[in-house]
Amino acid sequence: MLKRIIRALILVGGLCGSGAWPTPHAVGRADAAPICPAATHARVPSGVTLVLIVARTGSSSPEDAGAARLCLLTAVGMFQPLYRQLPTSDIAMSADRRVLAYRDTTYRIHVVRLPGGVDSVIGRGVMPRFSHDGRYLAFVTSDTLPAPASGAGGEIGAAVGAFWINDAAASIQPSEPGALALGPHGDLYIADRARNQILKRLAAGTFVVIAGNGRAGFSGDGGPAVEAELHDPGGMTITRDGTIYVSDSQNRRIRRISPGGIITTIAGDGKPGLVTSATPALGATLGDPADVIVGPHGDLYIADAGSDQVLRLSAAGMLMRVAGSNIRRYAGIYGVGKPATEASPDGPYGLAFDRSGDLYIAGINTKTLLMINAKGIMTLPMGEDGFYPRGVGGVKTAPDGSVLAMNNLRVVRLTPKGERTVFDFSGKHILGPSGAFLPNGFAVGSNGAIYTDTDRGNGFSNTAAVAEIVPGGQVRVLWRAV
């Protein structure tokens, strides 16, 4: 350990241009001076993150204890600022060096989980302190909270330190991976129902939080998505500019995350109910939105499994019914051959358009594949007994405009003459001799690669995992629970 810390000190000294720690100057304004050194191509050992805490000593008063500047050096050799200026008495690190706490200028207490630098706000106050065992964080606040824990284990004060952290022990890991989506640059996004968060898989194989602070609830609109509350996030779609649309299912809302990381609600008022056409989206009552996709003309389509409706959100912010009645009088398979607005979409759980503009629906209630043709008529392209949709959002549009679907344990390509198997999970020991893989989440990349996940709690798979199936059928496990 000592050798590793010495290497860290030598590395930081080299980055700063000399063998000594830099002497930070006071920052009068938020943009008065750079917080961190310039980007560097320093060689950082694989699987570690260097936390660089730079502080200058001030008076002993908590109100004037000096200005601290915090930087995070990631494993790719880039400095990332955590915060520009704050009293050094308002910085604390857990004894195991895996959690950093600080108070910002608006008196919000932040917790930063390392490595990765995922920042969450947990309350308002000053002077955060960890207990000696690192299990509790206390801070002085005017809110009603338990008394501060005794001890000051991990307190930084006005010190300067550099610490190596083991990624394998401290990194973010999926818990219950569900719906999947791919970003414009091929990054894989995971809606984790147990964490109530959206995770992004980085090229190095690690994960960062894109949305959700880990608490089940509804909050955060208009602010950073990582500080917002989600409740059972489901189907997602990501546009070319990086905008994320997600079904916040238990909040009965559709939420949008901008490329800059700001979250807003664009449909649903949180109350259960049915939608009539031409309903303002923010005042609409949704049942259990399960999936969301972008249609051929840029409108957003929503699969509402709880209300047995498929909805279209126009650019003007109005919701229109595409399938399902506005009075709940149908159940199961009903209305085949009739206008879709008079039929039942059977608990729609996944949506996908083909190149002809036909809309495929994975019906979760009676396990049926449905389709709405360009004339708005509901059909059964595979017949009543010819298909068994599985997983979250079990139909996806392929790069060639065809539709791929999860039919029981097979990924199939749908054609006018039926289906063609692309990959069969039956009998495949993807996770080893005892590692059965029941596919759940489902996404298709621009190169035709198929991404899927499995959850340890699904009654068939004995572990959670995420896998990639490349064209040709080779399988690569991207992550598995340990």
Side-chain angles (χ1 to χ4, degrees), residues 267-287:
D269 65 359
K271 301 174 184 177
L274 298 167
V275 170
T276 58
S277 284
T279 297
L282 289 176
T285 54
L286 303 179

Side-chain angles (χ1 to χ4, degrees), residues 249-286:
S249 61
Q250 292 304 302
N251 280 324
R252 299 185 176 92
R253 292 175 167 94
I254 303 297
R255 304 182 83 175
R256 176 176 59 204
I257 303 166
S258 73
I262 302 302
I263 190 169
T264 53
T265 295
I266 60 170
D269 65 359
K271 301 174 184 177
L274 298 167
V275 170
T276 58
S277 284
T279 297
L282 289 176
T285 54
L286 303 179

Side-chain angles (χ1 to χ4, degrees), residues 162-182:
F163 312 98
W164 290 109
I165 297 172
N166 187 319
D167 272 26
S171 61
I172 296 165
Q173 300 287 314
S175 179
E176 189 178 325
L180 300 176
L182 288 162

Side-chain angles (χ1 to χ4, degrees), residues 173-471:
Q173 300 287 314
S175 179
E176 189 178 325
L180 300 176
L182 288 162
H185 304 295
D187 298 312
L188 183 64
Y189 291 74
I190 302 171
D192 195 306
R193 300 176 62 179
R195 294 180 63 103
N196 290 296
Q197 292 176 319
I198 297 173
L199 307 181
K200 175 182 175 181
R201 182 183 182 272
L202 303 179
T206 56
F207 298 88
V208 295
V209 176
I210 298 300
N213 61 18
R215 294 189 295 269
F218 174 73
S219 70
D221 271 358
V226 293
E227 297 180 7
E229 291 178 337
L230 305 176
H231 194 180
D232 195 6
M236 301 176 289
T237 191
I238 305 175
T239 62
R240 292 181 179 179
D241 69 353
T243 300
I244 301 171
Y245 296 94
V246 59
S247 303
D248 195 355
S249 61
Q250 292 304 302
N251 280 324
R252 299 185 176 92
R253 292 175 167 94
I254 303 297
R255 304 182 83 175
R256 176 176 59 204
I257 303 166
S258 73
I262 302 302
I263 190 169
T264 53
T265 295
I266 60 170
D269 65 359
K271 301 174 184 177
L274 298 167
V275 170
T276 58
S277 284
T279 297
L282 289 176
T285 54
L286 303 179
D288 181 6
D291 196 17
V292 58
I293 64 170
V294 177
H297 304 294
D299 290 343
L300 213 61
Y301 285 75
I302 301 164
D304 190 340
S307 296
D308 287 330
Q309 292 182 320
V310 176
L311 308 169
R312 177 174 61 87
L313 176 59
S314 71
M318 305 297 287
L319 280 178
M320 309 293 291
R321 282 186 303 115
V322 175
S325 171
N326 60 356
I327 54 175
R328 194 188 299 271
R329 58 184 178 185
Y330 306 130
I333 301 171
Y334 180 88
V336 175
K338 296 183 178 181
T341 52
E342 299 176 8
S344 168
D346 185 40
Y349 213 63
L351 303 173
F353 280 95
D354 67 11
R355 66 173 69 90
S356 300
D358 298 323
L359 177 60
Y360 289 79
I361 305 168
I364 197 66
N365 290 343
T366 53
K367 302 294 186 182
T368 306
L369 183 72
L370 303 136
M371 189 186 80
I372 302 173
N373 64 25
K375 296 181 180 180
I377 304 300
M378 181 80 77
T379 67
L380 286 173
M382 306 299 295
E384 290 191 20
D385 301 318
F387 209 86
Y388 189 92
R390 181 182 294 283
V392 182
V395 288
K396 297 291 179 182
T397 305
D400 63 358
S402 64
V403 171
L404 295 180
M406 198 74 76
N407 184 1
N408 203 354
L409 292 179
R410 295 181 298 127
V411 178
V412 300
R413 189 181 306 275
L414 304 179
T415 72
K417 297 181 180 180
E419 63 179 37
R420 180 172 60 84
T421 298
V422 176
F423 187 84
D424 192 346
F425 288 92
S426 302
K428 300 287 196 312
H429 298 291
I430 294 172
L431 302 177
S434 61
F437 196 106
L438 182 67
N440 185 26
F442 182 40
V444 183
S446 59
N447 64 348
I450 296 168
Y451 298 84
T452 186
D453 57 38
T454 190
D455 165 34
R456 67 172 62 90
N458 60 25
F460 186 64
S461 173
N462 61 2
T463 188
V466 179
E468 175 189 29
I469 306 167
V470 300

Side-chain angles (χ1 to χ4, degrees), residues 30-97:
D31 58 352
I35 176 175
C36 295
T40 174
H41 295 290
R43 296 181 62 185
V44 180
S46 176
V48 295
T49 299
L50 176 66
V51 180
L52 172 61
I53 301 174
V54 183
R56 68 174 175 82
T57 304
S59 71
S60 59
S61 169
E63 289 77 21
D64 185 25
R69 302 191 299 169
L70 285 68
C71 303
L72 188 74
L73 178 60
T74 68
V76 295
M78 299 293 288
F79 279 109
Q80 169 190 340
L82 292 180
Y83 209 76
R84 290 184 177 275
Q85 182 181 8
L86 63 156
T88 54
S89 63
D90 278 347
I91 309 169
M93 181 172 277
S94 62
D96 61 1
R97 311 303 190 195

